Amino acid sequence: MPVRSGPVGDPNRELLGLARSIAVEAAELAAKRRAEGVTVAASKSSAEDIVTFADREVEAFIRSSLLAARPNDGFLGEESTESASAGTSGLTWVVDPIDGTVNYLYGIPAYNVSIAVVEGEADPETWHALAGCVVNPAIGEVFTATDARGAFLGDTALHVNPASDLSQALVATGFAYSAEVRARQGLVLSKLLPQVRDIRRIGAAALDLCYVAAGRYDAYFERGLKPWDHAAGALIAREAGAHVGGFDGSPVTADFGLAAEPVLAARLEAIVADLFREAGL
Ligand code: LIP
């Protein structure tokens, strides 16, 4: 896959170039391990919430590569939260080494390496995302964005779809690893499904956000996203013209995240907020 930095004159060009080159190499490693056969290393919040040996190997590669290049930056990765480092530069790398882990385990070609760099604390409620890259090696797609300089799939600029009526909107979502929460999410889905064109559930939040940016979905929402799930994809969606946030103008948090063209986002948020309340979410 070609590896190029952002536009000349982009203050975050160098950061994007580093993120992209490491993400592409990490994605190639993930794909290589997938071809060799994937083994579960452990389960986390539930038996369904698994981590593979490849997740750990890929994250270790990304972390060592990033910190070799920028030793004073912070690092927050999905598989090493207990050893997250704040750094001294004011920048933090937020990494999901393999987003779409269950897809990866089953060999479904919808998984990705997601790398973002943010200014400030590694807290989605306060950080300022500067650059992000999401790579799906199974189909050779590289999504990128830098702050205020647009979003791209390869060299193609991305734009969200124009606002549609909710009844014509293709809406993506995802579900928790907790059976009790999934039961409630099923109640939300059963009431939302008749009101929209259709639902998609790909199983990888970073790809969901990139697909909104690319116009492959009209909207995406999910409850339970972790910072590394959305750090890069949210910047890519925002730079493609999406509203990306939580309820009532808040940032994306574990409670709720939504991405869509702004008018559609407001329509969908209002309905989903009511359905969440009814379902006790
Ligand atoms: C996944 C998310 C997805 C969500 C899954 C899981 P992981 O992340 O990308 O959107 O629905 O339950 O959380 O665990 O594959 O890194």
Side-chain angles (χ1 to χ4, degrees):
M1 288 174 267
V3 178
R4 285 181 291 280
S5 300
V8 174
D10 180 347
N12 298 307
R13 174 183 168 91
E14 182 183 337
L15 292 171
L16 178 63
L18 181 63
R20 181 186 283 158
S21 62
I22 293 174
V24 166
E25 197 170 348
E28 288 167 355
L29 173 60
K32 179 173 185 289
R33 293 294 181 254
R34 176 56 263 179
E36 293 166 351
V38 171
T39 307
V40 174
S43 60
K44 298 186 285 191
S45 64
S46 69
E48 297 77 19
D49 184 4
I50 53 105
V51 56
T52 71
F53 287 104
D55 284 276
R56 292 176 173 171
E57 181 185 8
V58 170
E59 180 164 314
F61 166 77
I62 294 169
R63 183 169 195 164
S64 61
S65 301
L66 286 171
L67 297 186
R70 294 183 56 91
N72 298 321
D73 290 359
F75 184 89
L76 173 63
E78 178 175 17
E79 308 312 340
S80 57
T81 52
E82 72 290 342
S83 61
S85 58
T88 57
S89 68
L91 300 187
T92 302
W93 294 89
V94 185
V95 171
D96 193 335
I98 299 177
D99 175 48
T101 305
V102 174
N103 290 345
Y104 184 71
L105 178 67
Y106 280 75
I108 298 169
Y111 62 90
N112 65 91
V113 170
S114 177
I115 297 178
V117 58
V118 301
E119 199 169 34
E121 300 290 319
D123 177 351
E125 299 200 46
T126 58
W127 74 35
H128 176 201
L130 299 179
C133 184
V134 173
V135 180
N136 179 352
I139 56 176
E141 291 195 326
V142 181
F143 295 88
T144 60
T146 51
D147 181 32
R149 295 296 177 112
F152 297 84
L153 170 54
D155 291 331
T156 302
L158 299 179
H159 302 284
V160 296
N161 290 336
S164 65
D165 291 340
L166 198 61
S167 63
Q168 297 305 304
L170 185 62
V171 178
T173 191
F175 306 117
Y177 284 122
S178 152
E180 190 272 333
V181 174
R182 284 205 303 276
R184 297 176 186 275
Q185 291 173 315
L187 296 174
V188 171
L189 195 61
S190 66
K191 294 183 179 174
L192 182 64
L193 187 53
Q195 300 185 60
V196 298
R197 175 192 291 271
D198 204 345
I199 290 287
R200 293 291 184 269
R201 196 286 198 250
I202 200 171
L207 293 183
D208 287 321
L209 288 160
C210 290
Y211 287 11
V212 170
R216 295 176 181 173
Y217 300 151
D218 294 299
Y220 161 67
F221 73 93
E222 187 161 353
R223 174 195 184 282
L225 294 179
K226 303 292 193 305
W228 43 82
D229 286 327
H230 62 81
L235 176 64
I236 291 165
R238 188 172 294 118
E239 287 298 320
H243 161 81
V244 185
F247 287 125
D248 302 323
S250 67
V252 176
T253 66
D255 292 336
F256 184 67
L258 180 148
E261 183 280 337
V263 171
L264 176 60
R267 292 172 181 159
L268 181 60
E269 178 185 337
I271 288 176
V272 170
D274 287 343
L275 294 177
F276 270 36
R277 271 190 294 273
E278 289 172 23
L281 286 173

